[in-house]
Amino acid sequence: MLSRHAVPLFIAAAIASLVAAPGPASAAGGQAAGTGAGKRVTICAQHHYRVVTGATGRRYVVENGNFGGKPECITNRGLRPNFEITRSGANTTGIEPVAYPFALYGCSWGLCTPGTRLPARLSRVRHATASWHIASPSAGRWNAAFDVWFGRHRAAYKGQARGAELMIWLTARHDPAAAAKVIRVDHRRWYVYHWVTSHNGAHWNYVQIRAVRPTNQVSKLALLPIIHRVERMGLIRHWWWMLNVESGFEIWRGGTGLATRYFAAGVTLKR
């Protein structure tokens, strides 16, 4: 289990759709129903996305991160930062998950959320927070995790980041935690796992911080204390670039009904 890493597979498959997409409307690849706050958009095409707006006016992206090729649809309501997996054909017994539908703040593979303060050097980040409320069915095998990427260069948001990937697991189904070191950060206890992963000749630190007590909800989770703890481990450098904050579901099997009810993320920079 600890040797697997799914995100490079998603990234390799997503390059064309994210970079070549002509704009939010055509990039969504979905059908819309209703108007205004009740508008519903369903996205079934692989790696297609929709730009959405949070309550404070901040812009995000929700994307159908499906790299396994099985049928998968996500539905967004009201063009707000939410989505529900309304169809999932995921059914693998392999090491790698086959999907990671997610919400994004920041930049990833040439796609940036409008008005984002990222990428930014980690040394310039004063505050970074994320909120995520989910609904989780009992069936299937999956996890719910933030994914925060760091590049050695600012331009990494256009390609494979080679600094570090920090995944913060909040909860999981049929994926028990292995024995690991436990740290306490911001009044929470986390398991810590680390290894160096690679894809197409690129190498980077993969760090998994996993909640000892699983939860379906965090509000204004302070990311910097976690990041700085990992930095003290020598796995992230303060001169690297923080590229994004993602929240999504890694899925091996099932997943229908998994939902992001609310997502928000933001970064404040030093003057």
Side-chain angles (χ1 to χ4, degrees), residues 45-244:
Q46 286 180 277
H47 309 300
H48 283 215
Y49 63 90
R50 176 71 71 167
V51 175
V52 298
T53 305
T56 63
R58 186 168 291 148
R59 310 296 294 279
Y60 305 99
V61 159
V62 293
E63 180 176 323
N64 187 29
N66 172 15
F67 45 86
K70 298 294 184 179
E72 179 175 282
C73 297
I74 63 173
T75 296
N76 170 263
R77 295 181 182 275
L79 294 180
R80 295 295 191 180
N82 65 71
F83 67 87
E84 180 176 352
I85 301 172
T86 48
R87 183 184 184 189
S88 174
N91 187 23
T92 181
T93 58
I95 295 175
E96 304 282 352
V98 293
Y100 182 70
F102 65 95
L104 166 72
Y105 174 76
C107 297
S108 176
W109 285 90
L111 172 68
C112 292
T113 54
T116 180
R117 296 178 180 271
L118 299 176
R121 286 195 186 274
L122 180 56
S123 60
R124 287 201 61 215
V125 177
R126 183 183 300 275
H127 300 290
T129 62
S131 300
W132 192 20
H133 303 174
I134 72 171
S136 58
S138 58
R141 181 187 174 199
W142 48 264
N143 67 56
F146 290 111
D147 205 8
V148 185
W149 283 86
F150 300 86
R152 296 172 183 264
H153 308 283
R154 186 182 188 279
Y157 76 88
K158 296 181 180 179
Q160 176 61 61
R162 300 190 181 207
E165 178 187 9
L166 171 61
M167 289 201 85
I168 304 172
W169 286 33
L170 299 185
T171 189
R173 171 72 177 173
H174 287 158
D175 200 339
K181 178 182 178 180
V182 176
I183 62 173
R184 182 180 292 274
V185 183
D186 201 21
H187 308 294
R188 296 176 184 268
R189 296 168 65 233
W190 308 88
Y191 295 114
V192 181
Y193 309 93
H194 161 252
W195 59 94
V196 176
T197 192
S198 63
H199 181 70
N200 285 346
H203 302 269
W204 63 94
N205 289 323
Y206 174 84
V207 185
Q208 183 188 122
I209 305 293
R210 181 169 178 164
V212 173
R213 302 185 68 174
T215 180
N216 280 4
Q217 177 175 316
V218 291
S219 297
K220 295 184 178 179
L221 176 68
L223 300 177
L224 275 186
I226 297 174
I227 293 169
H228 288 329
R229 186 65 177 264
V230 176
E231 184 181 357
R232 290 196 295 272
M233 296 166 62
L235 303 177
I236 295 174
R237 305 298 184 183
H238 71 276
W239 61 85
W240 289 355
W241 293 82
M242 183 176 178
L243 305 179
N244 55 42

